[in-house]
Amino acid sequence: MSQSNLLDRVIGYFSPAQGLRRSQARTMSAFLEGTGYVGADRTRRSMRNWFAVGGSPDRDTLRDLPTLRARSRDLLRNAPLALGAINTNVTSVIGTGLMVNPTIDNDMLGMTPQDAGAWQRKTQAEFRFWCEQRDQFDIESKLDFYQAQAVAFRSALESGDVFVALPDVMRPGGVYGLKVQLIEADRCCNPDNRADVEGDFKAGIKQEESGRPAQYAFARFHPGEYQAGQSWTIVDAFGAKTGRRNILHIFEALRPGFRRGVPYLAPVIESLKQLGRYTEAELMAAVVAGMFTVFIEQAAGGGDPDSDPNGFAGAGEPGDGADEMSLGYGAVGFLNAGEKASSVNPGRPNAQFDPFVKSILTQVGVALQLPLEVLIKHFAASYSASRAALLEAWRFFKVRRQWISSEFCQPIYEAWLAEAVASGRISAPGFFLDPAIRFAYSQAEWLGDGPGSIDPLKEVTASVKKIDAGLSNLKKESAALDGSDWRTTTIQRGEEVSLRRSLGLDEVIPKPGSEPDPLAPVDSKD
């Protein structure tokens, strides 16, 4: 209800009807002004000092990126929880590496399933021949394809983005010129360290009016090395004639128009740093509490410390730097006449330390999309609760796996396939004539390690029942269970069965769930 002012009261005195209408109008106006989002209210005490600016993606991120990267890396070096969160992502998403499984569109290409299967197996073997040789895959001859996946993914999480160059360098003994070069985010910066200019380079990237990247600027040395003779190389984003990608920019676009990515830990940098400080303080308090600590109270005009027969030499006047003594572990001292020892009880270990830390880590886990159990690797709840936490985390890991597959693995595979077809090592009629045919040949899925299981028997039994009910198939269940290729497993299983039969060792292996329970009670009638 709005308050009436002096003018309202004067008008109401001479004309009550007019004064009432003014009061009603003022009340309605106040009501209308009070509607809307509370989060946008600037009059509330809780919102009064909250100044938020609606900046563009570049304005909100580019200025803070160097500091965010530096602090993110510092946390990875010195904060176990931060390192654990990154390691959990890399281990779960990449693991031992994502393997290509070509899945060409045989209907589009007019191929029989048998011919398509043969083409896919040959292409898979040829790709492995290239990508698993470090000297042929990596420009620095340090990483193979699977190791490069882990490094690229880790770098993207740590720095916000990572760049991948695809130079053509034919080496002795090799059959492919395509090489892969990983470039850390810091090296992509404006030439001569110029300021960001609209229409020119901003954060090392020059874009077209449509927002499509046109050129990238890379420093010869890492900016953190401070070496003399720094220079920059300008690389076109796409080939002028072929349109081939020269640079892969791997980052997660959180907003339309995002030019550079932000570190994975950016939203929780402060929380992790403060939690690290709190942990260090509690640890130091616990160490002090583990020692027998006393303070000596001396009578007025106490004795000469230098003549102390109990070995407490070094105590002197307060402030002269000699008023401290170390008693060591469990040491007991004898005091002079008139002196009194007062023990200190710091109250450590702190009984509320663990609940408080877990409460903070729960919030951190929400921001990082990692349940608390997965973040701290502690599964103390029931089977159902632990499985729910793993499934929730695996949903996030699947999204991340799809992201790194589409941004890193698939573009590299397509670039390699184009060279393999052009060199004649892979036969793909019409590959360079029709983009639709090229797309049909380039289709592939990327298989990685499975999520594991808390109870393998239950997991396998459920998979068998889904296959028997027609709700799934061997390919899908094999990939979900351990990331294996069902075809490879089937071929290997066939060889094993044939060998056992040839040796007279053939045995009937019961299906999961059909074997008798050795702990089940035996019916006395049997």
Side-chain angles (χ1 to χ4, degrees), residues 34-293:
T35 60
Y37 289 98
V38 173
D41 194 337
R42 294 183 176 87
T43 62
R44 291 173 177 258
R45 186 186 300 267
S46 59
M47 299 289 184
R48 191 174 301 163
N49 295 322
W50 186 351
F51 304 103
V53 179
S56 67
D58 286 348
R59 181 180 178 185
D60 288 347
T61 58
L62 298 186
R63 182 182 58 183
D64 297 332
L65 273 181
T67 303
L68 289 175
R69 291 193 198 111
R71 291 179 175 177
S72 174
R73 292 166 184 163
D74 183 75
L75 285 176
L76 295 183
R77 290 191 294 265
N78 300 296
L81 288 170
L83 179 61
I86 298 294
N87 286 342
T88 297
N89 272 269
V90 176
T91 301
S92 301
V93 175
I94 304 299
T96 57
L98 306 182
M99 297 185 62
V100 66
N101 182 34
T103 56
I104 63 175
D105 189 343
N106 57 295
D107 292 334
M108 174 71 179
L109 299 172
M111 301 173 64
T112 65
Q114 293 75 16
D115 291 340
W119 188 94
Q120 290 170 167
R121 289 190 292 272
K122 175 178 174 55
T123 302
Q124 185 182 46
E126 186 73 13
F127 180 71
R128 291 184 59 187
F129 164 73
W130 170 73
C131 76
E132 294 182 2
Q133 298 186 71
R134 300 181 182 181
D135 192 53
Q136 297 302 318
F137 171 81
D138 184 15
I139 192 68
E140 298 179 358
S141 299
K142 295 178 181 178
L143 306 172
D144 62 22
F145 181 49
Y146 312 112
Q147 294 169 333
Q149 294 173 23
V151 174
F153 184 55
R154 181 184 296 274
S155 184
L157 295 178
E158 175 182 307
S159 304
D161 52 9
V162 66
F163 296 86
V164 183
L166 302 176
D168 191 326
V169 180
M170 182 64 72
R171 287 176 174 165
V175 295
Y176 291 102
L178 177 65
K179 298 294 181 289
V180 173
Q181 179 181 10
L182 300 182
I183 305 174
E184 198 167 40
D186 308 65
R187 289 183 57 190
C188 184
C189 53
N190 293 345
D192 301 318
N193 296 316
R194 298 196 302 259
D196 293 338
V197 177
E198 197 65 40
D200 195 8
F201 282 97
K202 295 180 69 173
I205 302 176
K206 184 177 182 180
Q207 295 182 342
E208 300 174 355
E209 291 186 5
S210 63
R212 188 177 190 236
Q215 292 180 324
Y216 298 91
F218 295 105
R220 179 184 178 189
F221 304 112
H222 192 286
E225 291 187 1
Y226 302 107
Q227 293 192 15
Q230 180 71 287
S231 61
W232 279 260
T233 301
I234 309 300
V235 181
D236 291 335
F238 301 91
K241 296 182 179 180
T242 63
R244 173 184 179 270
R245 279 183 173 270
N246 296 322
I247 298 293
L248 305 180
H249 185 192
I250 302 173
F251 72 104
E252 185 180 12
L254 301 178
R255 292 172 58 183
F258 237 44
R259 188 183 300 253
R260 301 294 298 266
V262 297
Y264 173 61
L265 299 177
V268 295
I269 283 179
E270 181 184 10
S271 299
L272 290 175
K273 184 62 176 178
Q274 295 288 59
L275 191 60
R277 290 169 173 166
Y278 172 61
T279 302
E280 291 177 3
E282 286 291 336
L283 179 60
M284 181 57 65
V287 170
V288 173
M291 299 180 181
F292 180 77
T293 306

Side-chain angles (χ1 to χ4, degrees), residues 295-316:
F295 289 97
I296 306 300
E297 296 184 14
Q298 296 183 353
D304 182 7
D306 295 333
S307 62
D308 184 1
N310 298 308
F312 293 119

Side-chain angles (χ1 to χ4, degrees), residues 194 484 522:
R194 298 196 302 259
S484 62
V522 180

Side-chain angles (χ1 to χ4, degrees), residues 441-498:
Y441 274 117
S442 302
Q443 295 304 295
E445 60 183 3
W446 297 89
L447 303 178
D449 301 335
S453 58
I454 299 178
D455 190 331
L457 180 59
K458 290 183 179 180
E459 301 286 348
V460 174
T461 302
S463 296
V464 171
K465 288 184 177 181
K466 286 192 290 185
I467 294 174
D468 292 342
L471 302 176
S472 187
N473 53 58
L474 283 173
K475 179 179 179 180
K476 183 184 297 185
E477 294 302 320
S478 296
L481 184 63
D482 57 6
S484 62
D485 178 18
W486 73 277
R487 187 185 298 275
T488 303
T489 303
T490 302
I491 294 174
Q492 178 64 30
R493 181 69 183 126
E495 293 178 356
E496 294 173 356
V497 171
S498 298

